[in-house]
Amino acid sequence: MLQPETTADHIPGRIEFDNFEHGFPEGFGPRGWDHLAYGVAIAFATFQLVIAAWNILPSQVVRGVHVGFLILLTFGLIGNFTAKSNLGRTLGWLVGSIGFLCGLYQWIFYADLIARDGDPTNTDLVIGTLLAILIFEGTRRLMGLALPLMCGVCLLYWFFGQYLPAPLNHRGYGFDQVITHLSFGTEGFFGVPIYVSATYIFLFILFGSFLERAGMIQLFTDVSLGLFGGTRGGPAKVAVFASGMMGTISGSGVANVVTVGQFTIPLMIRFGYRRAFAAGVEATASMGGQIMPPVMGAVAFIMAETLGVDYSVVVKAAVIPAMLYFASAFWMVHLEAGKFGLVGMKKAEIPNAWKALVRGWYLVLPLAALIFMLFEGFTPLYAGTMGLALTVALILGASIVLGVSSTALRVIFWIGLALIAGVVSRHGVDIFAIAGIVGALVLLSSLSQGGRATLHACRDSLAVSAKSALTVGMACAIVGTIIGMMTQTGVGTIFGGWVIGLGEHSLFLALVMTMLLSILLGTGIPTIPTYIITAALAAPALANLGVPLIVSHMFAFYYGIMADLSPPVALAALAAAPIARENPDKIGWEAMRIALAGYVIPFIAVYSPALMLQDGDPMAAKIGFTGAVVYASIKALVAIGLFGMAAIGFLFTRMSAIERIVALAGGLCLLGEFPYSDWVGFPLGLAIVAWQWRQRPPRPEVAHA
């Protein structure tokens, strides 16, 4: 049964937030105004569900209404939470309503806008300008200045770039050309990112919200505690495993920090981990959720659309690197625990993992079905819709049988429900039939008090999902400025030419330049716009240098994530700081150390594409594709093992500075395919491990009676 969300009334007055990027407070605002926000959120979620299930509107209309809802709810909620008076809240909702009307304009005048494409009316220009202003201001109030400033610079270049010296200049564009390209069509605000936000992203946010509220966090936590709680440094391993599992359904780094971290960070601190290290572990593991199949982050959906490949192709490419990322985090916390003699939890404090799975087995079914459908080639939209329907059916079914005392009747109910689902899908799954089953379960649930409580919680999940989608959606909208500017001016080819020119002399330097660009662009802005910008600028250039296209995009993706762990901004560290009560910069530096694998895996994948299951690996010609995959994986494991030893300074005993330098040198040699690099890296690694084995302290002798 769903766990109802707290919807406490907020005391009127200003909430002290620099921005709402890490999420809004619980609820929807002060008494009275919360009902308005709640109703709009339900309407938003309902619209998205109907579109996902039946696809009854043109894509351009869906994008427009989606952006309209984003602006309406953004300004409305910000007004609810920050305005000091009812007048201020009214103003917020009025401004949001103007944005909603701008979105509806795409629907009402859909045919007319197509007919006069390239020849806008004055009304078109007014609506387009208003839309741009509201998207910029809404993003600023929601997420701070960094992203709007970056997009604003692109807008200035778009308007005035013709006055710059060659080769930076362009031919010049009029106000009507810029606004038309930006606010209408599919290459500005309504480009691929907002299309993905309006379809896949919202659906998977809703899917994750239902699973979380159904108790998935508790299930993952109990299983993690049962598996790793008693091992050396167990609490930190619990944090890594639980956050990785949560990443499979949420795909949100900061959201993982503020949910799972509420439990794991205090637990790690209680068992002896330093506050900065504990928060760094949670930040590292939570950000890794964005690369953890099957759901991954919103970027994976955008990447699939950009590359024109099935989502399963992106998922398969991410599997081995994701496993290496979390294996590295495990390795780091294991070494840290050994260095400081940190032990695991007592047996009495550890839940039984098997009993936890038996108790919550049904929660795993929607996730398993989702994975199956994605790898069988179903579209993410279809797989997400069916996964969500299955989740709702299981939750409602569980609430219906909760009051049934007879085990036989409960078994008959579940078998009957399975048979009905099987009958209606014998000729293929029909969304109308699935909707009918869910509707029948809703009707049955409404007949009992517990069932009605579950229905209320389901309704709350719809509203909360709409609220959670705002930051992602607004980011997807505003980065359309950069996409539109680049598609019309062609400025991306200039940067691409620089990268290609550098790569002709050294691919390694071109990779370093792309890495620094991703981290620099990601300073203070979310992963989605960071990836979109870097992928547009650098990924095509890397592909022209012989890097497989999906690897070049994954390269940009990884460093967009690493930017959220890298000081001075380090958004994930900022989210963890209040929980750990520690300085965000200290947390950021610890997170960088723990996430060292995230900084090196993309380099290894470029030189060994088999690591991402891509063709073009040099070892494939010698040992075959499967052999190349195995070799690249082993090489990456050894490399991150050596980097971990160098970063933590421990293996079997504390390492000296010289030992750490040797381990670092071995890891660097295994980073790429240079002449004799593997022949140097593996022996160095073997030598330092053997030396550490010899230096290990003797085991204490057991006294004999």
Side-chain angles (χ1 to χ4, degrees), residues 19-46:
N19 56 65
F20 295 96
E21 184 174 350
H22 303 324
F24 287 94
E26 287 187 351
F28 289 84
R31 188 179 298 277
W33 292 95
D34 59 337
H35 297 306
L36 175 59
Y38 188 87
V40 171
I42 291 292
F44 186 13
T46 303

Side-chain angles (χ1 to χ4, degrees), residues 55-273:
N55 193 25
I56 55 178
L57 292 175
S59 177
Q60 184 72 11
V61 171
V62 172
R63 302 180 201 198
V65 177
H66 180 75
V67 171
F69 267 120
L70 288 173
I71 296 173
L72 174 60
L73 201 52
T74 292
F75 280 97
L77 281 175
I78 290 174
N80 279 6
F81 285 117
T82 63
K84 298 179 181 179
S85 65
N86 286 335
L87 179 62
R89 297 184 187 96
T90 302
L91 182 61
W93 282 103
L94 286 176
V95 173
S97 298
I98 294 172
F100 184 70
L101 291 175
C102 290
L104 283 183
Y105 191 83
Q106 302 281 340
W107 189 353
I108 297 170
F109 298 101
Y110 173 67
D112 296 330
L113 289 171
I114 292 177
R116 60 173 180 261
D117 184 33
D119 185 23
T121 65
N122 290 333
T123 305
D124 292 341
L125 294 178
V126 169
I127 293 296
T129 304
L130 277 174
L131 183 67
I133 292 171
L134 292 174
I135 287 176
F136 269 79
E137 176 59 13
T139 307
R140 183 193 70 81
R141 299 202 64 190
L142 196 65
M143 308 174 69
L145 276 171
L147 185 54
L149 280 177
M150 184 178 297
C151 294
V153 169
C154 292
L155 200 57
L156 288 174
Y157 174 79
W158 203 347
F159 278 116
F160 305 110
Q162 65 269 31
Y163 302 112
L164 294 176
L168 297 175
N169 62 332
H170 57 68
R171 68 177 181 83
Y173 301 91
F175 180 81
D176 59 332
Q177 291 175 295
V178 173
I179 293 299
T180 300
H181 197 79
L182 187 62
S183 298
F184 303 97
T186 58
E187 291 185 333
F189 292 138
F190 303 115
V192 169
I194 209 64
Y195 164 72
V196 174
S197 174
T199 51
Y200 311 146
I201 295 175
F202 193 98
L203 191 63
F204 278 83
I205 287 175
L206 188 58
F207 176 71
S209 175
F210 268 86
L211 280 181
E212 287 180 31
R213 301 277 298 284
M216 187 61 94
I217 292 179
Q218 189 62 49
L219 175 63
F220 284 153
T221 302
D222 288 346
V223 171
S224 303
L225 285 168
L227 292 175
F228 305 107
T231 62
R232 186 170 82 180
K237 294 174 182 176
V238 168
V240 173
F241 187 82
S243 297
M245 290 298 97
M246 279 306 300
T248 64
I249 62 171
S250 72
S252 173
V254 174
N256 276 5
V257 172
V258 299
T259 51
V260 182
Q262 296 286 350
F263 166 75
T264 58
I265 292 175
L267 182 67
M268 286 185 274
I269 293 171
R270 181 160 65 90
F271 277 83
Y273 282 99

Side-chain angles (χ1 to χ4, degrees), residues 280-354:
V281 168
E282 183 55 49
T284 301
S286 292
M287 292 309 298
Q290 295 182 77
I291 58 171
M292 188 68 177
V295 176
M296 302 175 64
V299 170
F301 298 111
I302 297 174
M303 187 186 301
E305 286 294 324
T306 303
L307 296 176
V309 299
D310 289 339
Y311 181 69
S312 58
V313 174
V314 176
V315 170
K316 290 173 184 175
V319 167
I320 296 176
M323 293 173 65
L324 290 172
Y325 181 94
F326 282 98
S328 172
F330 254 80
W331 179 240
M332 293 292 190
V333 299
H334 182 78
L335 294 179
E336 179 82 1
K339 184 176 181 178
F340 292 99
L342 304 180
V343 297
M345 303 168 65
K346 295 178 181 178
K347 190 174 182 180
E349 299 177 302
I350 303 173
N352 186 292
W354 176 249

Side-chain angles (χ1 to χ4, degrees), residues 358-635:
V358 170
R359 186 173 60 250
W361 62 271
Y362 63 93
L363 295 174
V364 181
L365 292 180
L367 191 59
L370 178 70
I371 295 171
F372 173 79
M373 285 187 285
L374 286 175
F375 278 92
E376 281 296 308
F378 291 96
T379 66
L381 191 61
Y382 181 85
T385 303
M386 300 312 299
L388 179 60
L390 179 58
T391 305
V392 174
L394 289 171
I395 290 170
L396 294 178
S399 72
I400 291 170
V401 302
L402 189 63
V404 178
S405 57
S406 171
T407 302
L409 288 177
R410 289 200 296 268
V411 172
I412 290 172
F413 172 84
W414 286 116
I415 292 175
L417 182 61
L419 288 174
I420 292 171
V423 169
V424 301
S425 60
R426 66 186 185 278
H427 298 304
V429 179
D430 183 357
I431 193 66
F432 286 97
I434 297 299
I437 293 175
V438 173
L441 291 173
V442 168
L443 183 61
L444 288 173
S445 297
S446 66
L447 300 178
S448 67
Q449 184 175 353
R452 287 192 294 271
T454 300
L455 290 176
H456 293 159
C458 287
R459 185 188 62 197
D460 289 344
S461 288
L462 288 174
V464 170
S465 297
K467 191 170 71 168
S468 301
L470 294 182
T471 52
V472 175
M474 291 298 285
C476 286
I478 197 171
V479 293
T481 308
I482 299 171
I483 296 172
M485 180 272 295
M486 292 182 63
T487 56
Q488 195 165 60
T489 65
V491 69
T493 58
I494 299 174
F495 182 84
W498 292 343
V499 173
I500 292 172
L502 187 62
E504 289 176 352
H505 302 286
S506 172
L507 176 60
F508 187 79
L509 288 179
L511 294 174
V512 171
M513 182 177 177
T514 305
M515 176 191 74
L516 294 176
L517 174 70
S518 296
I519 294 176
L520 180 64
L521 290 175
T523 301
I525 65 174
T527 309
I528 293 172
T530 302
Y531 161 74
I532 291 170
I533 299 167
T534 312
L537 287 172
L542 293 179
N544 287 334
L545 291 173
V547 180
L549 190 59
I550 196 167
V551 175
S552 65
H553 278 257
M554 280 287 186
F555 192 91
F557 181 17
Y558 259 78
Y559 289 114
I561 293 173
M562 292 300 104
D564 280 346
L565 297 174
S566 307
V569 178
L571 294 177
L574 285 172
I579 305 173
R581 297 196 297 276
E582 182 57 277
N583 183 284
D585 287 339
K586 289 183 180 179
I587 296 172
W589 290 116
E590 291 288 351
M592 284 186 68
R593 193 160 62 103
I594 299 163
L596 200 56
Y599 292 92
V600 302
I601 288 173
F603 277 87
I604 298 175
V606 167
Y607 290 102
S608 302
L611 195 68
M612 291 186 178
L613 305 180
Q614 301 299 304
D615 295 326
D617 194 301
M619 293 298 296
K622 302 176 182 177
I623 56 178
F625 181 75
T626 302
V629 172
V630 173
Y631 181 79
S633 301
I634 293 173
K635 180 178 172 180

